[in-house]
Amino acid sequence: MLGTQWIVKTLKEKGVTTVFGYPGGQIMPLYDALYDGGIEHVLCRHEQGAAMAAIGYARATGKIGVCIATSGPGATNIITGLADALIDSVPVLAITGQVPNSLIGTDAFQEVDVLGLSLACTKHSYLVDNPQDLPNILEEAFNLANSGRPGPVLIDVPKDIQLANLDYQQYLTPTTYKPKLNNPKLSSYTPADIQLAKTMIAQAQKPMLYIGGGVGLSGAISELRAFMVLTQIPSVSTLKGLGAADLNNPYYLGLIGMHGSKVANLAVQECDLLIALGVRFDDRVTGNLNEFARHAKVIHVDIDQAEINKLKQTHLGLQGDIKQVLPLINQTVAIAPWQHRIDELKKQYPTRYDHPGEPIYAPALLKNISERKSATTIITTDVGQHQMWTAQHMRFNHPQNFITSSGLGTMGFGLPAAIGAQLARPNDCVICISGDGSFMMNIQELTTIKRKKLPIKIVLIDNQRLGMVRQWQELFFNERYSETNLSDNPDFLMLAKAFDIPGQKITSKSEINSALDNLFNSPGAYLLHVSIDELENVWPLVPPGAANENMLDKSHKE
């Protein structure tokens, strides 16, 4: 068979039922094989959209998302998506076309060194220069993408390789990389390490759980919640960790970091033991790293050895699968005074939703949506103020139900990610929370929604500003508002109508309930255009370089 037929055969054998892409000259042989290959191909209207739809698909299911692009500009357009997948540890397989091997290095039409470009934003990259290598490269790519710490893998396939007619089965060898969880490279803790962890937890008077995206990636949701139930240790989440914790636990304090809650940030700053689970100690979480949890000893559990001691020095690093480690260190602890202190902080700093006048208050709106949505609803977001308000004021019962660009902060992420999530879970409601800046970044994907008749709901929070940048200009750049005015936005309802998407615009609190009724009851796609005050800010905020206890809040401007 042809190389392209082998690729399609392998995708099907690996359980791939849907791929996202955009055809072009050097990938046409693969598209010919897809024509009647038995795999659903979703035509996104920009390769970046295809990559981010693959991310949405992967994050909604835990399966590998697949995107396809041609050589040159097609391949360069997926680079941002691959970078997003790498920093958020998302299993994605990107297949790109390339000029024939005989033309590589000649500056041929639409030739770009995709292998070189992708090295910084993939877990691994391949350029296939021999058709006999294709079967093992495909096998290895699937194993790499979803093993250990997941991530994106790219295979650049020259056109002559795609058209090579071989008996590929004979070249498939059993020596392909297949990691196992008991591989010493993936687990390096000892029984003595586990005992030391248990001793540190038992001796701590003010322990805290610091929950990251690695918990969901390891499938350790039930193990984490069992740990929270037995220990009753207070806990906080990173942006990508949201959804993993037991929301009913009285000592779960929500988001930590630059826009984390006051209670979460203050508790971590007071703790004497920080149990870090699948985290990167990202700067948006820690604030001033030297001041972060300054009184605490640190236990760091992570599948990736490179993360342990990378930024924050640990007192005990446990390299391994969180799903396996947590049950080994689960135990009852006596921390009643600390729990009482947490209760005091919660009473002292409650989340408030009172807001003067009729203008819509985005945090209250999002809380309302959160209370209305079903347990299986998927929320995607773009990046900016609306993203932080969503993380602060909406509740999620599983990481697969909250899909946002956490590490890279990619504007334009929410809409294509919602497409991937909806196709992955067609029976679940998908809501994209976006801002007027981000929405314009991949707005062409409204065509994909129209073509596939996807019932995606879009909540567009519009302040006619590039909100988060404007907020920083207000606070840290002497109100010099450089290029953040978006008051010349298009008529978003008219724009949606051009794609056969109905909707409505609301400007006051009194309109919210009926508008949300319309949103949730719409059988197909729907756009709710929400106008808010341009001066609304996200509070609290930890200023750059500050310790997390030194948060600014609304009173800072009053």
Side-chain angles (χ1 to χ4, degrees):
M1 62 175 65
L2 300 179
T4 54
Q5 293 171 320
W6 182 264
I7 291 172
V8 172
K9 175 178 180 291
T10 302
L11 292 176
K12 292 171 70 175
E13 289 175 349
K14 297 298 182 182
V16 175
T17 57
T18 304
V19 298
F20 305 87
Y22 201 94
Q26 302 301 337
I27 200 67
M28 272 197 279
L30 180 55
Y31 272 83
D32 186 66
L34 286 168
Y35 181 78
D36 54 3
I39 293 176
E40 178 187 25
H41 178 277
V42 179
L43 180 69
C44 296
R45 294 310 173 94
H46 191 285
E47 291 89 354
Q48 185 182 107
M52 292 175 183
I55 292 172
Y57 186 97
R59 288 185 59 175
T61 60
K63 299 177 182 178
I64 293 177
V66 179
C67 60
I68 301 172
T70 193
S71 65
T76 60
N77 280 343
I78 68 169
I79 291 294
T80 300
L82 296 178
D84 194 283
L86 181 68
I87 199 165
D88 278 349
S89 304
V90 185
V92 168
L93 175 63
I95 301 174
T96 53
Q98 182 57 277
V99 300
N101 273 291
S102 61
L103 293 179
I104 290 178
T106 68
D107 295 329
F109 178 68
Q110 292 191 334
E111 182 200 355
V112 170
D113 179 10
V114 179
L115 179 68
L117 280 173
S118 65
L119 290 177
C121 58
T122 56
K123 190 174 179 180
H124 198 71
S125 297
Y126 302 88
L127 171 62
V128 186
D129 57 10
N130 185 332
Q132 296 178 10
D133 295 335
L134 183 62
N136 288 326
I137 285 175
L138 282 165
E139 192 74 20
E140 186 171 292
F142 271 93
N143 288 327
L144 273 171
N146 218 4
S147 66
R149 180 178 182 172
V153 176
L154 179 138
I155 307 177
D156 198 29
V157 190
K159 195 169 186 178
D160 57 312
I161 303 294
Q162 297 177 51
L163 293 171
N165 197 335
L166 295 176
D167 176 9
Y168 286 95
Q169 186 68 45
Q170 68 173 313
Y171 299 109
L172 183 63
T173 64
T175 58
T176 299
Y177 172 75
K178 291 183 179 179
K180 297 179 180 179
L181 288 178
N182 61 4
N183 185 327
K185 292 182 179 180
L186 294 179
S187 179
S188 63
Y189 58 85
T190 66
D193 292 329
I194 296 298
Q195 186 56 51
L196 176 57
K198 295 180 72 172
T199 300
M200 292 172 69
I201 293 170
Q203 292 177 348
Q205 296 181 355
K206 300 179 179 181
M208 288 291 303
L209 274 178
Y210 167 27
I211 302 164
V215 174
L217 292 173
S218 71
I221 308 297
S222 60
E223 287 79 6
L224 171 69
R225 294 177 182 178
F227 188 94
M228 293 173 69
V229 167
L230 183 60
T231 66
Q232 293 295 304
I233 291 175
S235 57
V236 296
S237 285
T238 67
L239 185 61
K240 194 160 183 285
L242 292 174
D246 179 4
L247 297 176
N248 295 317
N249 188 290
Y251 303 111
Y252 173 61
L253 307 179
L255 185 68
I256 184 180
M258 178 173 283
H259 293 294
S261 73
K262 283 192 174 184
V263 179
N265 281 335
L266 292 173
V268 170
Q269 291 302 92
E270 292 184 20
C271 76
D272 63 2
L273 177 66
L274 189 65
I275 306 168
L277 303 174
V279 301
R280 299 185 293 114
F281 289 91
D282 178 77
D283 60 291
R284 289 299 174 101
V285 167
T286 65
N288 185 323
L289 184 64
N290 292 329
E291 297 295 315
F292 180 67
R294 69 178 73 87
H295 306 298
K297 295 181 179 179
V298 177
I299 298 173
H300 189 178
V301 187
D302 205 289
I303 195 72
D304 187 355
Q305 178 64 49
E307 291 296 342
I308 298 175
N309 293 315
K310 183 179 83 173
L311 291 172
K312 185 76 171 177
Q313 291 300 302
T314 65
H315 296 77
L316 176 61
L318 299 176
Q319 183 200 0
D321 187 345
I322 296 169
K323 187 178 181 68
Q324 296 180 352
V325 173
L326 269 180
L328 300 178
I329 61 175
N330 198 2
Q331 61 190 329
T332 57
V333 292
I335 52 171
W338 177 230
Q339 292 166 336
H340 180 66
R341 170 61 177 156
I342 297 299
D343 290 335
E344 288 181 339
L345 286 172
K346 290 170 68 175
K347 291 176 182 176
Q348 187 176 357
Y349 300 108
T351 302
R352 296 180 57 179
Y353 294 96
D354 52 310
H355 182 265
E358 266 301 296
I360 293 170
Y361 184 48
L365 169 74
L366 292 167
K367 179 175 183 288
N368 193 336
I369 294 173
S370 183
E371 291 169 350
R372 283 177 174 242
K373 70 179 176 65
S374 69
T376 59
T377 294
I378 301 170
I379 301 293
T380 73
T381 80
D382 275 293
V383 171
Q385 289 179 316
H386 69 275
Q387 177 192 32
M388 293 297 100
W389 284 324
T390 299
Q392 290 174 331
H393 303 289
M394 299 189 75
R395 291 163 66 84
F396 307 98
N397 63 1
H398 197 284
Q400 291 178 352
N401 294 337
F402 179 51
I403 302 174
T404 191
S405 178
S406 303
L408 197 63
T410 309
M411 292 178 68
F413 176 86
L415 194 61
I419 290 169
Q422 187 71 82
L423 286 160
R425 289 163 55 181
N427 297 322
D428 292 329
C429 177
V430 176
I431 302 174
C432 172
I433 311 290
S434 190
D436 52 314
S438 290
F439 191 54
M440 295 292 288
M441 288 266 183
N442 269 316
I443 200 165
Q444 77 284 340
E445 298 310 326
L446 291 175
T447 308
T448 311
I449 292 175
K450 175 184 176 182
R451 172 177 282 215
K452 301 300 292 185
K453 297 181 173 58
L454 301 176
I456 293 170
K457 317 302 184 223
I458 302 165
V459 178
L460 177 57
I461 298 178
D462 178 10
N463 57 7
Q464 299 197 341
R465 296 294 185 274
L466 197 57
M468 189 62 81
V469 180
R470 187 214 60 79
Q471 178 173 340
W472 276 58
Q473 289 172 339
E474 175 189 341
L475 297 175
F476 309 119
F477 291 88
N478 300 313
E479 300 184 11
R480 291 163 59 87
Y481 298 121
S482 178
E483 299 303 321
T484 50
N485 187 322
L486 304 181
S487 58
D488 56 353
N489 279 328
D491 182 328
F492 288 114
L493 289 184
M494 185 179 294
L495 191 61
K497 187 176 180 181
F499 297 97
D500 298 334
I501 298 173
Q504 71 179 105
K505 180 177 180 178
I506 59 174
T507 60
S508 63
K509 292 184 176 78
S510 59
E511 300 173 284
I512 289 176
N513 285 329
S514 62
L516 291 183
D517 288 341
N518 294 335
L519 178 83
F520 280 101
N521 293 330
S522 174
Y526 194 87
L527 173 67
L528 178 59
H529 181 189
V530 183
S531 179
I532 67 168
D533 191 322
E534 67 191 61
L535 298 179
E536 287 288 357
N537 288 330
V538 180
W539 304 113
L541 182 149
V542 178
N548 274 1
E549 69 265 29
N550 298 322
M551 292 166 276
L552 303 180
D553 58 24
K554 193 172 184 178
S555 64
H556 170 76
K557 298 298 292 180
E558 294 175 349

